[in-house]
Amino acid sequence: MKTLYTWHDIYPRCEKIAKELKEKYTDIMDYEIVGISRGGLVPAVIISNLLGIRKVYSLGLKTYKDQEKDGAEIYQVPYLANNNRVLLIDDISDTGESFIIVKKLYSHKELVTVSIYMKEKTKFAPDVVGESIDNNIWVVFPWE
């Protein structure tokens, strides 16, 4: 089942996430935001504006799900030398593979993970989620 989410769906979930982050992590302003490209970039910017965090970076990750190649390629890693606190944002934790891969990359950092949506049977449950959704939903975001 294909579901088209609109900005009216996305923005309130980002507000909910920002509020929860402020409540759970009193030092959230000390974090730098990394959005997983491409889907996580828009929510990363929205949440950065809601939190007032100006340092926002992009991490490029391409996952493959075809007959020729099964895996992932990280093609862009932001330089975060002076900060050990990272707020990692993606639009959805579908299979969870993107979060699992990037969490390994940042294993030496204090990491808080965020997604707007999380499928019920994902392999990775982010620390903060806007909403849990059924596995049978195929999500289409307004930026797609």
Side-chain angles (χ1 to χ4, degrees):
M1 173 173 63
K2 202 178 231 184
T3 302
L4 174 62
Y5 287 107
T6 68
W7 294 110
H8 295 289
D9 299 309
I10 302 301
Y11 196 80
R13 277 157 191 81
C14 288
E15 288 177 314
K16 175 184 178 260
I17 288 167
K19 182 180 180 202
E20 187 174 336
L21 287 166
K22 287 177 187 176
E23 291 170 358
K24 283 176 83 171
Y25 306 95
T26 56
D27 59 348
I28 197 66
M29 295 303 293
D30 296 335
Y31 283 70
E32 293 179 340
I33 294 176
V34 174
I36 298 177
S37 178
R38 295 178 318 185
L41 297 180
V42 174
V45 170
I46 294 169
I47 292 168
S48 77
N49 286 329
L50 291 167
L51 293 174
I53 297 173
R54 298 192 52 82
K55 291 186 178 180
V56 181
Y57 303 90
S58 172
L59 182 136
L61 175 67
K62 184 176 181 181
T63 55
Y64 300 89
K65 298 290 180 192
D66 58 42
Q67 295 173 341
E68 293 178 25
K69 191 172 183 180
D70 186 18
E73 173 192 358
I74 297 174
Y75 60 87
Q76 178 182 352
V77 179
Y79 179 68
L80 305 171
N82 297 326
N83 198 338
N84 282 321
R85 294 181 172 152
V86 175
L87 183 58
L88 181 66
I89 300 177
D90 206 355
D91 53 359
I92 188 166
S93 184
D94 189 336
T95 64
E97 290 299 324
S98 294
F99 277 111
I100 291 167
I101 291 164
V102 179
K103 188 172 181 181
K104 286 179 189 172
L105 177 71
Y106 286 128
S107 62
H108 61 291
K109 303 271 188 195
E110 187 177 325
L111 190 66
V112 174
T113 54
V114 172
S115 69
I116 299 175
Y117 294 99
M118 177 183 75
K119 291 204 175 171
E120 294 169 344
K121 293 185 180 177
T122 185
K123 295 177 193 172
F124 186 88
D127 299 308
V128 179
V129 174
E131 182 181 342
S132 242
I133 59 173
D134 186 89
N135 266 33
N136 297 320
I137 294 175
W138 180 262
V139 176
V140 180
F141 290 100
W143 51 86
E144 294 183 291

